[in-house]
Amino acid sequence: MVEGIEDAIGKKQGISLAQPLWRAEQIRKMEQRWAEREGQALYALMERAGAALCSYARHHWPQSHHWWIFVGSGNNGGDGYVLARLARRLGLEPLVIAARAPGLLRGDARRAADEWLAAGGEVMMADALEGASLPSPDLVIDALLGTGVQLPLSLPMTKIVSTINGLNAPVLAVDLPSGLNADTGRAMGALVHATRTLSFIGIKQGMLTADGVDGVGQLDWDPLGVVPEAGLVPAAERLDYPRLKNLLFPRPRSAHKGKHGKVLLVGGNLGMQGAILLAGQACLRAGAGLVRLCQHPDSPPASLVQPELMGCPVGMDEGWASVRVLGPGLGQDEWGRAQFEHHLNASGPLVLDADGLNWLAQAPRHQDNWVLTPHPGEAARLLDCGVAEVEADRFAAVSRLQQRYGGVVLLKGAGSLICDGQRISLCDEGNPGMASGGMGDLLSGIIAALLAQGWSAGMAARLGAVIHAEASDLAAAEGERGMLASDLLPWIRRLVNPTP
């Protein structure tokens, strides 16, 4: 029994981040178009960024006084120089630590450095930091590298990043943590691990997946007054439960079980009955009308654990189900192969997971009636590549999967991605407690239940992802380590019945 469930959900649902996610090149074009439209130099945005950073830092660390501001050679460094000038004006003690001498800078970054020096500021070169006798910082600002990082960091820059990560002080990253590829979310060698990140103009898609989730810390966003032009299509969209919960409208009073779908789950080979049991329980808790399990004949009936889960007598699978789930605990023996081949061609929506995906990788085919839910290892097998290649660019990987196999693809992981061939959605909720057995089985059951109740495949995958992740965040209030998949079941029921 979950205690205080309403209070817990209320605390979890805070202010939501922006929904559109952008590639770095899109942000640069937005800045240029803003400057042309407003008739201003881009330096005006640098001034706004510096002011936003100063206000943000003062708000979150009001007692801080000694700021170490690490600046690079580009516009990210220019933001840092503006911040230093404004902080000094407020009576703080900013120490500017530069990766490149101010005299070697160009463009707006050079102008910002010159104004800092003209205001009486000084610059310490990063290579002189080691061994220097300095008061310890109570706030570190990472203004080293911006959105243009495409290659692994140089050895000198790697050393600076290591220094930042080794300081005993909170770290504020400017726009995004240095070393992060803004488009893919991969760390390009070293990566600053920020306490908080203030992103500008728009949130970059790589900040919310792969290594980005470890680098950004608490993410906030300031558009700096720049509004995307009408018709500009984001690279991806960010999903969260508060934005989608209103789609889970109350049922009519006349509702009955026949109106909410019949789901058949196929799997549960010997020794793996827990997978299909969890999927079936999640399916029930997410609102499916009737649920049957087709599992190995020598497996004990699931009804011994969950009475509402029915078995599947011989012949019952023909024409009964409105939705099927194929894969949880299916196995890769002859029984598993036979079930895969039998159920793959059935009509109606299909959710394919676990060993269902492993069988598909051995005999690839394209269908539009399914939702595929691979983790990176399964995705690698489906794409005939290594896991590292999948994780190097998860956005490219999920697009390739959808193009090759059709339907809707949900690539699980930190920052799960959903691609339906038209758009990519990203769910950034969830936590490391989900790294345990059975979590993916729950997701398959939730998605199947939503399909059975009439949602489209794309929306069932998106809703399923946020319900699954939100439930895990709520369950993790008692601790991430040791959290079990079954701990999410009562939260799933509550989340598919949102209160106004």
Side-chain angles (χ1 to χ4, degrees):
M1 180 69 179
V2 176
E3 300 293 340
I5 194 163
E6 295 288 352
D7 291 340
I9 291 177
K11 291 175 182 177
K12 173 71 172 63
Q13 295 173 21
I15 298 174
S16 182
L17 282 173
Q19 187 177 23
L21 303 176
W22 308 93
R23 297 179 67 88
E25 182 58 29
Q26 290 180 298
I27 297 292
R28 284 190 284 272
K29 289 181 178 179
M30 274 190 257
E31 293 173 340
Q32 293 166 359
R33 290 171 183 168
W34 174 87
E36 294 167 359
R37 188 169 60 247
E38 298 295 322
Q40 295 195 50
L42 285 172
Y43 187 74
L45 289 180
M46 190 171 286
E47 287 279 353
R48 291 186 184 185
L53 287 164
C54 192
S55 176
Y56 186 87
R58 294 288 284 166
H59 173 74
H60 289 288
W61 297 281
Q63 304 303 318
S64 64
H65 191 74
H66 296 284
W67 294 4
W68 284 16
I69 306 176
F70 288 83
V71 295
S73 58
N75 288 343
N76 201 257
D79 296 343
Y81 278 111
V82 173
L83 169 62
R85 174 164 48 85
L86 297 176
R88 189 170 186 268
R89 188 182 299 170
L90 292 173
L92 302 176
E93 296 184 22
L95 172 63
V96 175
I97 304 166
R100 179 176 294 183
L104 299 178
L105 304 186
R106 297 180 179 180
D108 290 337
R110 174 64 180 269
R111 177 178 173 182
D114 287 346
E115 292 193 5
W116 161 246
L117 295 170
E122 298 179 349
V123 174
M124 170 181 278
M125 297 306 298
D127 55 12
L129 188 59
E130 187 174 354
S133 179
L134 298 166
S136 298
D138 43 28
L139 178 63
V140 176
I141 290 92
D142 163 29
L144 281 174
L145 301 169
T147 58
V149 178
Q150 300 293 328
L151 298 173
L153 270 57
S154 65
L155 289 176
M157 194 62 72
T158 297
K159 185 176 180 180
I160 299 173
V161 170
S162 178
T163 297
I164 291 174
N165 289 336
L167 292 170
N168 186 26
V171 178
L172 168 59
V174 176
D175 201 24
L176 78 168
S178 291
L180 184 69
N181 185 303
D183 292 337
T184 67
R186 295 308 297 176
M188 305 308 290
L191 174 66
V192 167
H193 290 260
T195 309
R196 307 186 76 98
T197 296
L198 182 60
S199 188
F200 296 130
I201 311 299
I203 296 175
K204 293 75 183 170
Q205 65 177 20
M207 302 179 79
L208 298 177
T209 193
D211 297 318
V213 300
D214 287 322
V216 300
Q218 175 63 48
L219 177 60
D220 290 299
W221 164 65
D222 191 325
L224 302 180
V226 177
V227 178
E229 294 180 342
L232 185 60
V233 179
E237 63 174 351
R238 176 185 170 275
L239 305 175
D240 59 23
Y241 178 76
R243 288 183 184 275
L244 295 186
K245 69 174 185 176
N246 290 335
L247 297 175
L248 296 159
F249 41 83
R251 290 176 171 178
R253 301 302 298 169
S254 60
H256 58 80
K257 62 187 178 185
K259 287 187 175 182
H260 303 300
K262 300 174 181 179
V263 180
L264 177 66
L265 296 99
V266 183
N269 207 331
L270 292 176
M272 295 182 285
Q273 301 96 319
I276 199 169
L277 176 60
L278 285 167
Q281 289 176 310
C283 194
L284 288 170
R285 290 302 187 185
L290 294 167
V291 180
R292 289 187 180 276
L293 305 187
C294 176
Q295 55 182 353
H296 194 283
D298 292 334
S299 295
S303 59
L304 295 176
V305 178
Q306 189 74 54
E308 297 84 358
L309 288 173
M310 299 180 289
C312 185
V314 175
M316 180 60 74
D317 60 327
E318 301 294 340
W320 179 83
S322 55
V323 176
R324 296 176 189 237
V325 178
L326 181 55
L330 182 63
Q332 298 189 53
D333 60 6
E334 281 304 306
W335 182 85
R337 181 191 59 78
Q339 296 305 312
F340 175 78
E341 293 177 352
H342 176 72
H343 291 278
L344 191 63
N345 294 314
S347 62
L350 173 66
V351 180
L352 212 58
D353 186 30
D355 281 325
L357 297 169
N358 292 327
W359 283 110
L360 178 64
Q362 296 180 35
R365 58 191 291 172
H366 188 286
Q367 291 185 193
D368 289 324
N369 68 324
W370 57 22
V371 177
L372 310 182
T373 62
H375 59 53
E378 292 158 346
R381 288 188 281 276
L382 289 166
L383 293 173
D384 193 23
C385 67
V387 174
E389 185 177 338
V390 171
E391 292 291 81
D393 191 339
R394 289 169 53 80
F395 295 92
V398 76
S399 294
R400 288 169 58 202
L401 285 165
Q402 198 284 326
Q403 290 167 8
R404 180 174 297 187
Y405 292 95
V408 177
V409 178
L410 192 162
L411 177 58
K412 295 181 286 197
S416 291
L417 301 177
I418 301 104
C419 180
D420 60 5
Q422 301 297 316
R423 57 178 171 162
I424 295 177
S425 304
L426 185 153
C427 174
D428 67 320
E429 297 178 300
N431 62 80
M434 300 173 77
S436 63
M439 290 290 176
D441 302 312
L442 295 181
L443 178 61
S444 296
I446 295 169
I447 293 172
L450 295 170
L451 286 167
Q453 293 169 82
W455 276 277
S456 68
M459 188 51 67
R462 293 180 179 90
L463 266 174
V466 299
I467 291 167
H468 183 239
E470 184 85 358
S472 74
D473 284 346
L474 291 164
E478 297 182 7
E480 293 176 354
R481 186 176 287 112
M483 187 171 75
L484 304 179
S486 56
D487 294 336
L488 276 60
L489 290 169
W491 296 105
I492 292 168
R493 180 188 179 191
R494 181 63 193 87
L495 291 168
V496 296
N497 293 284
T499 54

